[in-house]
Amino acid sequence: MSEIVSDKCLDVLFRTARTHSAWLDKPVSDVTLEALYDLLRAGPTSANSSPARFVFVKSPEGKERLRPHLSAGNTDKTMQAPVTAIVAYDTAFTEFLPKLFPHEPDAPSWFEGDEEKMFMNAFRNGTLQGAYLILAARALGLDCGPMSGFDAAGVDASFFPDGRWRSNFLCNLGYGDPGLLPPRNPRLDFDEAARIV
Ligand SMILES: Cc1cc2nc3c(=O)[nH]c(=O)nc-3n(C[C@H](O)[C@H](O)[C@H](O)COP(=O)(O)O)c2cc1C
């Protein structure tokens, strides 16, 4: 049986964690990004298909490639962030199923020839893996700033010209400036968002 994590962990992952837009001048090492991936990849996906792909944009050149595709409100904070993750998905994720789901050699055939099913699996599970990225980042002491305000076609043309990977959302990563956070917005109450049947 799983153990319940400490109150402190719940704060770090959920209760006091915030979406950040202002970043301290503190770099994120490649070792930290590798540790981040090592954690997030453990999260569950359908048939262990693991369709998410990640580009960690750190260099000034990479940031300049992102810049023209960002919405106005997302530009400055993305240029300032130590890292911007492009959370993408692999449209040909079934290629890896023999490695990822070896006890079911027929697994690729569950998807092949069905574009809609391929997309649904890649997008649903790739999005889940993006959420695992946010929680794994928080667990490692990083702050996150996820964003959907960007031109996905433009990012894809620049970063994924062969068309196989496609961007889902962006996520700034770094150490946020807690002094520049706006008040937190409310969440829905249980009765508004959930039912027990
Ligand atoms: C998938 C996703 C897309 C988002 N897109 C944007 C965006 O384009 N620009 C922005 O300023 N915030 C964006 N946000 C941030 C949300 O508004 C923010 O996470 C939410 O209001 C909760 O804020 P809190 O974590 O500080 O409580 C996005 C968040 C998510 C998860």
Side-chain angles (χ1 to χ4, degrees):
M1 184 170 150
S2 303
E3 286 179 44
I4 293 180
V5 300
S6 71
D7 238 27
K8 172 71 180 162
C9 288
L10 295 174
D11 284 345
V12 167
L13 294 177
F14 296 104
R15 294 192 292 226
T16 56
R18 294 293 311 279
T19 297
H20 283 260
S21 296
W23 304 98
L24 301 175
D25 187 17
K26 182 176 171 188
V28 176
S29 71
D30 291 1
V31 169
T32 299
L33 294 176
E34 285 169 27
L36 171 62
Y37 178 72
D38 195 49
L39 283 178
L40 81 86
R41 70 176 177 170
T45 55
S46 172
N48 199 31
S49 54
S50 309
R53 303 291 180 261
F54 304 91
V55 178
F56 295 105
V57 182
K58 273 182 87 171
S59 66
E61 299 75 27
K63 289 294 191 79
E64 287 305 322
R65 277 168 68 195
L66 273 181
R67 185 197 286 273
H69 312 299
L70 300 168
S71 70
N74 287 337
T75 302
D76 288 349
K77 58 188 169 192
T78 301
M79 300 313 288
Q80 195 206 356
V83 180
T84 304
I86 304 174
V87 179
Y89 59 93
D90 185 355
T91 59
F93 67 88
T94 52
E95 182 184 312
F96 292 97
L97 287 174
K99 169 178 176 169
L100 296 169
F101 215 52
H103 58 289
E104 286 282 4
D106 290 342
S109 71
W110 301 342
F111 300 95
E112 268 151 24
D114 189 338
E115 290 273 318
E116 169 78 3
K117 195 172 177 186
M118 290 277 286
F119 169 76
M120 286 294 289
N121 189 80
F123 195 71
R124 176 185 293 125
N125 291 283
T127 303
L128 280 172
Q129 290 184 279
Y132 305 148
L133 172 130
I134 292 172
L135 293 173
R138 289 172 171 178
L140 292 174
L142 292 165
D143 292 303
C144 299
M147 297 170 290
S148 49
F150 70 103
D151 172 24
V155 167
D156 291 355
S158 177
F159 287 86
F160 312 127
D162 70 7
R164 175 166 167 162
W165 294 9
R166 292 200 191 132
S167 56
N168 181 346
F169 68 96
L170 307 179
C171 189
N172 287 331
L173 296 167
Y175 302 93
D177 186 339
L180 291 175
L181 281 170
R184 190 174 180 120
N185 285 320
R187 301 300 202 255
L188 297 178
D189 292 328
F190 187 92
D191 289 349
E192 295 172 302
R195 288 181 196 156
I196 299 173
V197 294

